[in-house]
Amino acid sequence: MRRISDLDRRLLVRVADSRLRGAHPLLPRLSRAADHGRLWFGTAGVLATVGGRTARRAALRGIGSLAAASLVSNVVVKWTVERKRPVRDTVPLVRQLRRQPWTSSFPSGHAASAAAFATGVALESSRYGLMVAPLAAAVAVSRVYVGVHYPSDVLAGIALGAGAAALTCRYWPPRPEAPAQARPRISAPALPKGEGLVVLVNQRAGMATPGGFTVAEQLQVLLPAAEILECGPDDDFLDLLRQAARRAADRAGALGICGGDGSVNAAATIAAERGLPLAVFPGGTLDHFALDLGVPAFEDTAHAVTEGDAVAVDLGRATPLAGGGETSQFVNTFSIGFYPELVRIREGLEGRLGKWPAAAVALTRVLRTASPMEVEVNGRQRRLWMLFAGNGIYSPEGFAPTYRQQLDDGLLDVRAIDGEERLARTRLLISALTGTLGRSHVYTTRRMRQLRLSGLHAVDSRAYDGEVAADPAEELLIDKWPGALTVYRPAEPQNELLQRARTAAAKAPHWWRSLLRR
């Protein structure tokens, strides 16, 4: 420790004696601007306002990481490790701050906050992370430059902040920048300028567009030859969707849909039944299917439509075996129990809290009033809080599944929360709050090709892609319709390279595969 202290003092004196071109008055001002996280809150606001969906996620993770790092550094570590601040006489008066901090010098809270925010942003988007990193580095360096921290204080703060950001991945895994894999389908027609494309815009999705343009106007600019239909609050959505499908079939073109996952579900069902390619324009709140598909913006879908680039994806389906009703398809998930209500509450909160905190709050609310359901699963009587079936394998394995890496694997991701275990409700809540639900005895996961559910007469909450449905069937067969849907998405020349990387990772040692997954 004495050697480190001596080295710290020598480095501090060297920085004090240096004359860095352009450093003054920039670094002192940056140091003051970062007080109480003001600089990072402002940066997050700019990202959320100017950027798109990825920028908003990056800003949210950055702020969450900053909060965790500030709590640990300022409340825990500083009061545990008491270290005096450097003597101000070593630093030129012009650099010194007007208000000198009085708390422990170790670690640097400013450096911890800067590193946490920059790392959190980079976890969601390497592009935005590169933009924020120089600013964060400048703030960290400024704390030595103005003489309020030793270099080791700053290095410790950087390590603490980066660790806090990495820890958020345990509760809220970042969405991969690469889209999910799917089989290529070359039979989708190329539609120059959208000729032959009929798009139905669900105005109830409430999507805002930049520049004051309506969704229909923006689509018309991108695809001037396409036919755009709009569904207002008083219109019959399914009737308009069937009209759009008929017009697309008459023109030997494709069906388009702009809306949330519920709208995409309805369009995918009709497109698959009629053999029409589907163009998905993300227009909902979360747009899980569009993001997994790799079309986060209108421009992505428009480019794929004009070039004729498409893939074949699986559809999940629930077929009644008793009690009547029609087969229902789903592009993302099917669920029974309290999960539909939990999703509704979580989606209303996650814009402010983030996915994991919102999921925990939603779980707490639902568990106060929910009761386990009695249902027969593959011939075995079970007492469950909820049962979830994903159209493909979802990540993460714990609570709040977020994304898929493949859209044509032919598998169902089945997850259930057991209601028979002793103190199941309490154990479930504790596991969710600590991020250990994936290893809890009350939480089970299976990968299978089909699932048979019986005794559903008392189950009144069934959801397909988040939309609650009144389904009279007392017995359901949940399975996959392989490659049923042809959907436009941009071609990816890097797919072969990504596949090679995944193959290499599969052959690597266990510890290295774990590192790659992280």
Side-chain angles (χ1 to χ4, degrees):
M1 289 296 294
R2 188 168 186 176
R3 291 182 178 179
I4 295 177
S5 297
D6 291 341
L7 179 61
D8 264 345
R9 292 188 182 93
R10 288 198 298 271
L11 290 175
L12 182 65
V13 171
R14 178 168 294 185
V15 172
D17 292 339
S18 64
R19 296 293 183 269
L20 301 177
R21 183 176 298 178
H24 190 82
L26 176 62
L27 290 183
R29 288 178 178 175
L30 271 180
S31 193
R32 291 193 298 270
D35 288 348
H36 308 295
R38 291 194 302 264
L39 176 64
W40 309 121
F41 284 109
T43 304
V46 172
L47 283 175
T49 303
V50 178
R53 186 188 305 272
T54 301
R56 289 192 292 271
R57 287 174 58 90
L60 187 60
R61 186 181 293 278
I63 292 300
S65 304
L66 182 152
S70 296
L71 178 66
V72 174
S73 64
N74 295 323
V75 178
V76 179
V77 182
K78 279 184 179 291
W79 293 100
T80 304
V81 181
E82 294 185 4
R83 187 184 193 187
K84 293 183 178 180
R85 299 274 178 173
V87 178
R88 285 191 294 174
D89 296 343
T90 59
V91 179
L93 184 63
V94 70
R95 296 186 192 176
Q96 294 180 18
L97 300 178
R98 296 174 185 174
R99 295 182 179 179
Q100 293 294 320
W102 55 269
T103 56
S104 171
S105 180
F106 185 90
S108 168
H110 282 64
S113 297
F117 183 82
T119 305
V121 170
L123 286 171
E124 288 293 341
S125 170
S126 56
R127 178 164 61 97
Y128 290 120
L130 288 173
M131 294 170 59
V132 174
L135 187 62
V139 169
V141 170
S142 75
R143 303 305 284 175
V144 179
Y145 184 80
V146 300
V148 294
H149 281 292
Y150 293 106
S152 64
D153 300 334
V154 171
L155 292 176
I158 291 173
L160 191 153
L167 188 63
T168 65
C169 299
R170 180 178 181 85
Y171 304 101
W172 185 22
R175 176 179 287 274
E177 294 187 18
Q181 297 183 67
R183 290 184 292 270
R185 173 69 66 86
I186 60 174
S187 60
L191 307 175
K193 297 184 179 180
E195 181 68 40
L197 177 67
V198 182
V199 183
L200 178 61
V201 177
N202 187 357
Q203 295 178 338
R204 286 171 286 188
M207 179 182 178
T209 58
F213 292 102
T214 66
V215 172
E217 290 170 341
Q218 189 178 0
L219 290 174
Q220 204 73 72
V221 170
L222 292 171
L223 299 165
E227 181 180 355
I228 311 297
L229 303 178
E230 296 184 80
C231 178
D234 299 325
D235 295 328
D236 187 324
F237 175 74
L238 289 178
D239 183 59
L240 285 176
L241 188 59
R242 294 188 187 98
Q243 291 182 35
R246 286 196 296 270
R247 295 185 190 183
D250 292 340
R251 300 168 65 178
L255 176 64
I257 183 67
C258 179
D261 286 312
S263 302
V264 173
N265 175 305
T269 299
I270 292 177
E273 291 173 349
R274 302 195 178 197
L276 287 170
L278 181 66
V280 177
F281 297 91
T285 305
L286 298 176
D287 298 314
H288 289 296
F289 183 73
L291 294 178
D292 287 343
L293 184 63
V295 287
F298 287 2
E299 291 79 4
D300 299 308
T301 309
H303 176 74
V305 168
T306 56
E307 296 296 323
D309 297 326
V311 293
V313 303
D314 296 346
L315 281 181
R317 59 186 176 188
T319 305
L321 301 178
E326 298 180 352
T327 298
S328 299
Q329 276 80 30
F330 55 95
V331 294
N332 296 323
T333 62
F334 161 85
S335 57
I336 56 176
F338 67 60
Y339 194 79
E341 178 65 11
L342 185 148
V343 170
R344 185 188 66 79
I345 297 174
R346 188 198 75 200
E347 290 180 351
L349 296 173
E350 67 181 13
R352 290 174 289 155
L353 303 179
K355 183 175 289 290
W356 179 81
V361 173
L363 179 64
T364 304
R365 291 184 183 178
V366 170
L367 283 180
R368 284 205 305 259
T369 57
S371 299
M373 59 184 175
E374 300 287 344
V375 62
E376 191 174 296
V377 181
N378 287 342
R380 179 186 172 190
Q381 192 68 29
R382 298 288 300 275
R383 193 167 187 259
L384 303 173
W385 288 102
M386 77 93 183
L387 185 140
F388 162 97
N391 177 23
I393 306 305
Y394 274 83
S395 295
E397 294 185 358
F399 197 58
T402 306
Y403 61 87
R404 291 161 285 186
Q405 295 184 343
Q406 192 166 351
L407 296 172
D408 61 347
D409 55 13
L411 296 173
L412 295 170
D413 186 344
V414 180
R415 309 184 184 200
I417 297 179
D418 201 338
E420 295 178 349
E421 293 278 348
R422 187 179 180 184
L423 300 176
R425 190 188 308 229
T426 303
R427 293 169 63 182
L428 171 62
L429 184 58
I430 292 174
S431 298
L433 291 173
T434 56
T436 59
L437 187 57
R439 298 190 296 273
S440 173
H441 292 298
V442 301
Y443 187 81
T444 58
T445 62
R446 296 289 186 273
R447 299 178 179 182
M448 54 186 65
R449 296 193 177 274
Q450 64 178 32
L451 176 71
R452 190 179 185 122
L453 303 176
S454 306
L456 298 174
H457 55 276
V459 179
D460 57 358
S461 183
R462 308 178 196 186
Y464 301 88
D465 294 326
E467 299 290 330
V468 179
D471 195 339
E474 297 180 6
E475 186 174 1
L476 288 174
L477 177 66
I478 314 297
D479 65 355
K480 300 290 286 289
W481 186 0
L485 180 65
T486 299
V487 59
Y488 286 101
R489 88 163 179 195
E492 297 171 298
Q494 72 273 28
N495 267 355
E496 183 177 351
L497 181 61
L498 289 172
Q499 186 59 42
R500 289 179 184 175
R502 291 188 179 100
T503 302
K507 296 179 180 179
H510 175 73
W511 65 270
W512 181 243
R513 292 203 305 270
S514 300
L515 183 60
L516 286 175
R517 284 196 295 268
R518 292 179 186 273

